[in-house]
Amino acid sequence: MKAQGSPGGSAGHRPGHRPGGGGGSTMFRLGRLLRLLTLMKLPCCLLEFLLSEAAQGQEMYAPHSIRLEGDITLGGLFPVHAKGPPGVPCGDIKKENGIHRLEAMLYALDQINSDPDLLPNVTLGARILDTCSRDTYALEQSLTFVQALIQKDTSDVRCTNGEPPVFVKPEKVVGVIGASGSSVSIMVANILRLFQIPQISYASTAPELSDDRRYDFFSRVVPPDSFQAQAMVDIVKALGWNYVSTLASEGNYGEKGVESFMQISREAGGLCIAQSLKIPQDRKDKTIDFDKIIKQLLETPNARAIVIFANDEDIKQILAAAKRADQVGHFLWVGSDTWGSKVSPLLQQEDVAEGAITILPKRATIEGFDAYFTSRTLENNRRNVWFAEYWEENFNCKLTISGSKKEDTDRKCTGQERIGKDSHYEQEGKVQFVIDAVYAMAHALHHMNKDLCADYPGVCPEMEHAGGKKLLKYIRSVNFNGSAGTPVMFNKNGDAPGRYDIFQYHTTNTSTPGYRLIGQWTDDLQLNLYIQTTTLTISMNLSASVALGMLYMPKVYIIIFHPELNVQKRKRSFKAVVTAATMSSRLSHKPSDRPNGEAKTELCENVDPNNCIPPVRKSVQKSVTWYTLPPTV
């Protein structure tokens, strides 16, 4: 029977305290400490004790961390806090992206450690660190993971009796779960590969990380943005748009995502980029910068479709700027997975986001995690050193502890508050992928243990000294059904397969405003869109026979009432499979711009015609051509 991970854990962080400083040449602190203690001529036993305390603790490199004892230790990297203001590494706590994801790792470890069939006689421990959503800070924190592998020169260190000191080595981290942001994963991957420590990310999607020569120890359970960019190109082309602008947050995710979109669209042909704009990160006046971006986008008024790879805050600001410019209904947004199905970036500007199409890696809500997380309290979750701070933020109250940072309320926490009852709770979208990442590491260790320790209960010496390169081979070979029932596997570059859900945001003409699942993308595109005219709205979620009839109705209408339009359209190969008609009327031009009710797309005005092919009507089932049903029907 396996032992559970210690619920208490050790923590060098008092509840409610927000991590601060930590800059400087961390790499050299151990050497400096050794020399300082030697110069002080401390007794050998005391020297051993002090170094042992430093090596054990999260204090040498990571003063704020979660530590769970186990036979094998996994590292974890999570954006528990946002970036701090200039000069301060960490800002406010991130309730969903930080705490939900971190707790998902703890939940997965509990599940694995209580499973008699997965890693029997082996308990997984953890060392979990806060990246503060900053790559440089995360790099410094990650030095914790390589402590045990750093060869320390202690030749000039001697006890007072002339004997060499005895050092207690820190725990060995065999693999790391994380990080979240691509820029953080890239920074951390560069140091982990030097020490051959495998890394599995649950959220980093930058195409750059697919380079197996530079990031050979990096894997991920989410697909790279190159797959996402292909899906977005397919969506744009399926809607008949051929003249779009792109918008990216400055940084690896946004810029590389747009770069992939533009490259794939060039290769596919038939799609022109009117403008490609970047949202700067270091800006003095947010409002002015975003107003300028909207003004620039309006310089090409026919390019109403905006493909956007941006973070939450930038999405929120760009929608607000569009609203200030009185452009509600003008722009047609196609958002990447950072937009996904999030509500927070749309607050107070839902009307600007109306009809937006967004994409998200296919996922599911993990009911077991909901039950686990909503049962967490201050009493039963002491192992999470940031949970008290989360509690204050989540319930907008102040705990009677020293170090509390909650200064905007006088309301006292009772400790009897309950998540989901006394506060809103909705599972964060990457929880599934965190769980899958931990299980991928566990399955790899399980198979490695079976091969190397066949007749040995627990971790045998051969496995202990096997090294990260061998573990990486097992990671790349895993193939199991993940927490959502979908296969978890990796290709030769360490990437997960591309599986996406496609959403459309609706607030008008619906009794349930919000995101509606309209399609999916695996190797090709399947959409369930909506026909909407002034008098008719039809959902295409119908039976096969009715849907087939609806497919051909527009063609029959044309043949009977407008035979002059019944001409063969030029055919072309297209990857997308469209299973319904056009989007809502706001995704087309105004009726006055559509002669004979035909759904007409923008032409490439003010663009070199040699580089921009006029729109080709998408054909389905050979020669079926889509038209918007006229209002008289």
Side-chain angles (χ1 to χ4, degrees):
M1 191 68 183
K2 292 194 291 188
Q4 288 279 1
S6 167
S10 61
H13 168 61
R14 63 178 182 266
H17 181 67
R18 188 170 297 153
S25 305
T26 313
M27 195 72 172
F28 301 106
R29 290 179 189 166
L30 183 58
R32 287 176 179 172
L33 180 61
L34 285 172
R35 284 166 179 76
L36 178 62
L37 294 176
T38 306
L39 289 171
M40 292 171 66
K41 305 267 186 211
L42 293 174
C44 195
C45 56
L46 181 56
L47 176 62
E48 178 184 341
F49 170 75
L50 290 173
L51 288 175
S52 132
E53 286 298 300
Q56 268 189 26
Q58 30 233 40
E59 294 58 27
M60 182 58 66
Y61 290 115
H64 312 292
S65 67
I66 293 173
R67 185 176 180 184
L68 304 179
E69 299 294 337
D71 302 314
I72 297 175
T73 302
L74 300 182
L77 291 170
F78 295 91
V80 179
H81 292 86
K83 286 181 183 177
V88 180
C90 303
D92 295 330
I93 195 163
K94 298 174 79 169
K95 294 194 298 179
E96 287 83 21
N97 288 12
I99 295 297
H100 282 206
R101 295 178 184 181
L102 182 156
E103 287 289 346
M105 180 172 179
L106 297 177
Y107 166 77
L109 289 172
D110 288 347
Q111 296 294 304
I112 293 164
N113 286 335
S114 61
D115 187 340
D117 299 320
L118 184 59
L119 282 172
N121 303 310
V122 176
T123 300
L124 289 182
R127 186 66 175 279
I128 301 176
L129 310 175
D130 180 9
T131 67
C132 289
S133 310
R134 190 185 295 272
D135 51 5
T136 50
Y137 184 79
L139 177 63
E140 180 181 323
Q141 296 291 289
S142 297
L143 294 174
T144 303
F145 299 145
V146 302
Q147 283 183 70
L149 302 174
I150 294 176
Q151 296 297 320
K152 307 173 186 70
D153 181 13
T154 59
S155 57
D156 59 343
V157 180
R158 288 289 183 273
C159 291
T160 51
N161 60 4
E163 294 180 0
V166 178
F167 295 101
V168 178
K169 291 188 70 174
E171 79 266 69
K172 178 184 176 183
V173 172
V174 301
V176 173
I177 305 301
S180 179
S182 293
S183 60
V184 175
S185 281
I186 287 168
M187 185 73 84
V188 172
N190 281 315
I191 188 170
L192 293 183
R193 72 183 295 268
L194 296 177
F195 295 91
Q196 298 188 347
I197 299 177
Q199 173 186 2
I200 303 178
S201 173
Y202 49 81
S204 299
T205 56
E208 183 180 343
L209 287 161
S210 296
D211 186 347
D212 196 40
R213 294 166 299 177
R214 292 179 60 195
Y215 305 105
D216 43 342
F217 281 81
F218 178 85
S219 306
R220 50 186 161 191
V221 290
V222 288
D225 287 337
S226 51
F227 294 167
Q228 178 177 207
Q230 177 67 66
M232 293 172 80
V233 168
D234 287 352
I235 290 168
V236 168
K237 291 171 77 71
L239 296 171
W241 300 340
N242 68 324
Y243 192 44
V244 303
S245 290
T246 66
L247 189 57
S249 290
E250 184 179 16
N252 196 279
Y253 172 82
E255 294 178 61
K256 293 292 184 181
V258 163
E259 187 181 304
S260 292
F261 177 87
M262 293 175 69
Q263 180 181 340
I264 293 168
S265 65
R266 280 195 298 269
E267 292 170 356
L271 183 59
C272 289
I273 309 298
Q275 296 188 70
S276 187
L277 305 180
K278 184 167 65 175
I279 303 169
Q281 289 290 68
D282 298 322
R283 45 185 183 266
K284 295 179 181 177
D285 191 321
K286 290 183 180 180
T287 302
I288 293 175
D289 285 335
F290 285 99
D291 288 343
K292 283 181 180 177
I293 290 171
I294 291 296
K295 189 175 180 182
Q296 281 180 275
L297 291 173
L298 290 172
E299 291 173 2
T300 50
N302 289 334
R304 294 173 57 205
I306 312 297
V307 175
I308 179 168
F309 283 79
N311 59 47
D312 296 15
E313 182 62 25
D314 287 349
I315 293 167
K316 183 176 182 178
Q317 293 291 343
I318 203 70
L319 293 176
K323 193 167 187 173
R324 284 194 299 271
D326 197 25
Q327 295 300 320
V328 174
H330 175 78
F331 294 112
L332 315 173
W333 310 100
V334 180
S336 66
D337 64 343
T338 48
W339 184 329
S341 58
K342 292 175 183 171
V343 174
S344 55
L346 314 187
L347 294 177
Q348 309 303 318
Q349 44 241 0
E350 292 86 351
D351 51 349
V352 191
E354 173 69 27
I357 299 175
T358 61
I359 189 170
L360 202 59
K362 187 174 283 294
R363 68 182 191 192
T365 299
I366 310 304
E367 292 181 4
F369 176 80
D370 286 343
Y372 160 84
F373 189 75
T374 53
S375 68
R376 297 301 88 192
T377 67
L378 292 170
E379 289 300 315
N380 67 19
N381 201 24
R382 293 175 182 267
R383 65 182 177 181
N384 184 344
V385 298
W386 298 286
F387 198 68
E389 187 180 352
Y390 165 83
W391 196 270
E392 289 185 319
E393 189 65 30
N394 190 54
F395 296 109
N396 192 31
C397 60
K398 184 182 290 188
L399 290 166
T400 53
I401 55 173
S402 60
S404 172
K405 295 291 182 179
K406 193 70 177 170
E407 298 172 351
D408 56 353
T409 182
D410 293 325
R411 181 170 169 263
K412 303 295 184 184
C413 302
T414 66
Q416 301 304 309
E417 298 89 355
R418 291 297 175 262
I419 299 169
K421 292 182 180 178
D422 302 309
S423 67
H424 172 73
Y425 167 75
E426 184 177 351
Q427 188 177 123
E428 197 276 330
K430 292 294 194 299
V431 162
Q432 170 199 332
F433 300 109
V434 174
I435 295 170
D436 287 347
V438 178
Y439 265 88
M441 194 73 78
H443 278 280
L445 289 165
H446 177 83
H447 292 301
M448 187 177 180
N449 182 259
K450 279 181 66 177
D451 290 347
L452 302 184
C453 310
D455 301 317
Y456 191 101
V459 181
C460 61
E462 188 179 352
M463 182 175 176
E464 220 169 278
H465 300 101
K469 191 171 284 188
K470 187 175 282 288
L471 176 58
L472 178 67
K473 189 182 79 171
Y474 283 96
I475 289 172
R476 296 289 173 85
S477 301
V478 299
N479 190 340
F480 63 96
N481 284 333
S483 53
T486 53
V488 175
M489 63 184 78
F490 304 101
N491 65 15
K492 61 183 179 64
N493 297 323
D495 294 329
R499 293 186 291 260
Y500 297 95
D501 283 331
I502 302 162
F503 298 89
Q504 187 182 15
Y505 186 73
H506 285 286
T507 57
T508 59
N509 298 330
T510 177
S511 57
T512 55
Y515 292 95
R516 185 178 298 159
L517 182 65
I518 62 170
Q520 60 183 0
W521 189 96
T522 48
D523 291 326
D524 57 15
L525 179 68
Q526 294 179 324
L527 292 178
N528 276 320
L529 303 182
Y530 294 84
I531 302 174
Q532 182 178 351
T533 68
T534 54
T535 59
L536 179 66
T537 302
I538 302 174
S539 170
M540 295 306 292
N541 295 323
L542 305 175
S543 67
S545 57
V546 176
L548 188 61
M550 293 301 296
L551 283 175
Y552 284 95
M553 188 184 296
K555 187 67 174 177
V556 172
Y557 174 85
I558 293 297
I559 292 171
I560 296 173
F561 296 103
H562 293 281
E564 73 279 3
L565 295 178
N566 187 30
V567 293
Q568 182 70 31
K569 304 294 180 182
R570 179 161 62 93
K571 297 178 184 177
R572 60 193 290 261
S573 172
F574 187 65
K575 194 176 181 183
V577 179
V578 182
T579 59
T582 61
M583 301 255 325
S584 66
S585 57
R586 77 174 296 277
L587 299 183
S588 312
H589 286 287
K590 296 174 183 177
S592 58
D593 295 334
R594 297 196 303 268
N596 302 317
E598 187 176 61
K600 185 179 180 182
T601 59
E602 296 282 5
L603 294 176
C604 297
E605 297 172 12
N606 303 319
V607 179
D608 181 359
N610 295 323
N611 294 327
C612 190
I613 304 169
V616 178
R617 307 296 187 269
K618 301 299 171 282
S619 60
V620 180
Q621 309 248 350
K622 295 185 179 177
S623 61
V624 179
T625 304
W626 295 112
Y627 295 86
T628 302
L629 296 178
T632 54
V633 175

